[in-house]
Amino acid sequence: MDTQLKKGLIEYYILANLKYGDSYGYEIVKTISAHMPITESTLYPILKRLESQGKVSTFSSAYNGRLRKYYKLESEGLDSIKSFLGSWEKVEAIHDYIKRSVENE
Amino acid sequence: MKIGKRFLIKLSLTFMLVGAIVSFIGFASSGFDIDQYAENQHHWYRVVHFE
Amino acid sequence: MNRIEFIKTLSSKLSYVMKPEEVRELVDYYDEMILDLMEEGMSEEKAVSQLDSPESIIESIKGTPLEFKFPIRKKVSPLWMVLLIAGFPLWGSLALAGIMIVMSIYILIWCIPFLAGSLAFAGVLGGLVSVVLSPLATFDGLHIGLTQFGIGLFLFGAGILFTMLTLSMSKTFIAYSQSMTNKIKKILFNQRSVVSI
C-alpha cells in the first residue's frame, strides 16, 4: 500500500484494534502487521501522538515478573473513529472520481 | 517484601492479642488489685505505673 | 548485539535528544518488544536484530510528541512593567499570603503521617523496652512482670501496625504532594506544549 495512504489509515486501524480490547506494544504490531506491515519504530511515534491527543491512555500491568505497558482506547479515540467513519462517504466519492479518471481513456 | 505485608499485619495483630491476654492474666493473678502494683513502681525497670 | 548492549546503546544515544523520562519510556517500549519476541521462541540476538538499529530509531523519533518547556515570553510593555513594580506591595503580599496558605495546608496534611509515625515509634520503642525489662519486673512480683510483658507485647504489635500505616500513608502523601506541586508549577510558570519535532 502507498505509504501516504497507510499513514492516513493506520491511526484509525490502531484505535479500532484497541476498541476490541486493551493491548500492548508487541501485540499491536503483530495484529496490525497482518494487514498493514508496520515496524515497532513506526508504531511508537503514533502511539505517543495518540496518547498526547487523549485518544488513548496507558497503564502498566505485571506480566511474568515484568511490567508491561498497555494501551487503552479513550472516548476521544472513539470519537476519532466515528468521525473517520463519518467521512467514509467522501472517501468513496473521491475513490469513484479517481476510478473514472482512469476508465475514460 | 519476602516477609510479606499480610504476614506482618497478622504478626502484629497476634502480638497485640497475646500481649493483651498475658497482661490480663498478670493483672488477674494480682487479684485485679491495682495496689499490688504500687510497690516498687519507682524501680528503673518498671514501666507500668499507676500513679 | 545482545539485549543489554542494545538497551545501553539506545539509552545513551537518546539521552542527547530527549529528557530522561522520555528516554526511559522509549527504551522500555523496545525492551518489551525484545522480551515478547524472545517469549515467542526467538533467540536474543535474533529478537534484537528484528528491531531497527539504535541509529535508525533516533531518526524515526522525529514525529514523536516530546514535551518542551515553552516559557511563554509575554511581550511586556513598559506600562505593564510600571504597574507591576508599583503594585508590588499589593500583589506581592497577596502572593506571599497565598504561599503561606499553601504551605500551611501541606504542613497540616503532613501532620497526619507524622502523628502515625510518632505513635509507631512510641509503640515499638515502648513495647520493646517493656518486654525486655519485664523479667526484671518479675522480681517485684510475677503479676507485675507478666502485666509488663503483656503490655509491652501489645504496644510492640501496635507499633508495627502504625509503622506500616505511616509508611503507606507517606507514600501516598508524597505522590500527592508531588503531583500538586507539578500542577501549581505548570499553572504559574511554564506552559508545557506538546510538539512534534
Side-chain angles (χ1 to χ4, degrees), chain C:
Chain C
M1 220 194 289
N2 74 16
R3 175 173 154 249
I4 309 291
E5 281 166 29
F6 178 83
I7 294 179
K8 275 205 194 140
T9 319
L10 188 60
S11 315
S12 76
K13 287 192 190 242
L14 285 175
S15 58
Y16 294 113
V17 195
M18 313 165 117
K19 295 193 322 187
E21 307 97 72
E22 283 153 357
V23 176
R24 175 93 241 161
E25 250 190 270
L26 200 146
V27 172
D28 282 346
Y29 173 83
Y30 283 100
D31 192 26
E32 220 187 270
M33 290 281 167
I34 298 176
L35 292 170
D36 283 329
L37 284 169
M38 278 165 65
E39 246 185 47
E40 301 238 317
M42 246 190 237
S43 75
E44 189 174 312
E45 289 283 339
K46 184 129 199 283
V48 175
S49 62
Q50 289 283 97
L51 309 177
D52 295 334
S53 69
E55 293 74 28
S56 41
I57 292 179
I58 310 277
E59 273 302 307
S60 67
I61 63 161
K62 304 203 165 106
T64 309
L66 303 176
E67 280 200 24
F68 284 95
K69 270 194 215 183
F70 277 153
I72 299 223
R73 301 265 155 88
K74 304 196 176 122
K75 304 252 159 107
V76 198
S77 72
L79 176 63
W80 273 112
M81 287 300 303
V82 170
L83 281 176
L84 271 175
I85 297 177
F88 174 74
L90 178 61
W91 63 260
S93 17
L94 282 177
L96 192 60
I99 295 176
M100 292 297 178
I101 293 181
V102 169
M103 279 183 55
S104 319
I105 296 180
Y106 270 149
I107 293 178
L108 258 174
I109 293 182
W110 270 99
C111 278
I112 302 177
F114 184 73
L115 180 66
S118 318
L119 287 173
F121 181 73
V124 170
L125 188 64
L128 269 178
V129 168
S130 301
V131 167
V132 164
L133 293 182
S134 56
L136 293 176
T138 324
F139 286 138
D140 288 344
L142 176 64
H143 58 285
I144 297 181
L146 271 184
T147 311
Q148 185 158 318
F149 181 78
I151 290 189
L153 204 56
F154 180 84
L155 279 179
F156 187 70
I160 295 184
L161 279 182
F162 270 111
T163 311
M164 294 171 61
L165 189 66
T166 312
L167 285 175
S168 81
M169 276 171 126
S170 302
K171 271 194 216 144
T172 319
F173 282 11
I174 288 177
Y176 181 71
S177 299
Q178 271 174 349
S179 74
M180 273 288 112
T181 317
N182 279 339
K183 282 209 190 108
I184 295 180
K185 256 204 270 181
K186 270 193 205 169
I187 296 174
L188 291 182
F189 296 119
N190 312 332
Q191 310 274 336
R192 277 177 176 245
S193 293
V194 180
V195 205
S196 288
I197 53 167

Side-chain angles (χ1 to χ4, degrees), chain A residues 35-55:
Chain A
H35 292 276
M36 238 193 258
I38 180 179
T39 67
E40 315 77 21
S41 309
T42 325
L43 179 66
Y44 185 75
I46 301 178
L47 287 175
K48 286 239 67 165
R49 183 162 33 93
L50 290 175
E51 194 183 345
S52 75
Q53 291 168 336
K55 294 182 180 165

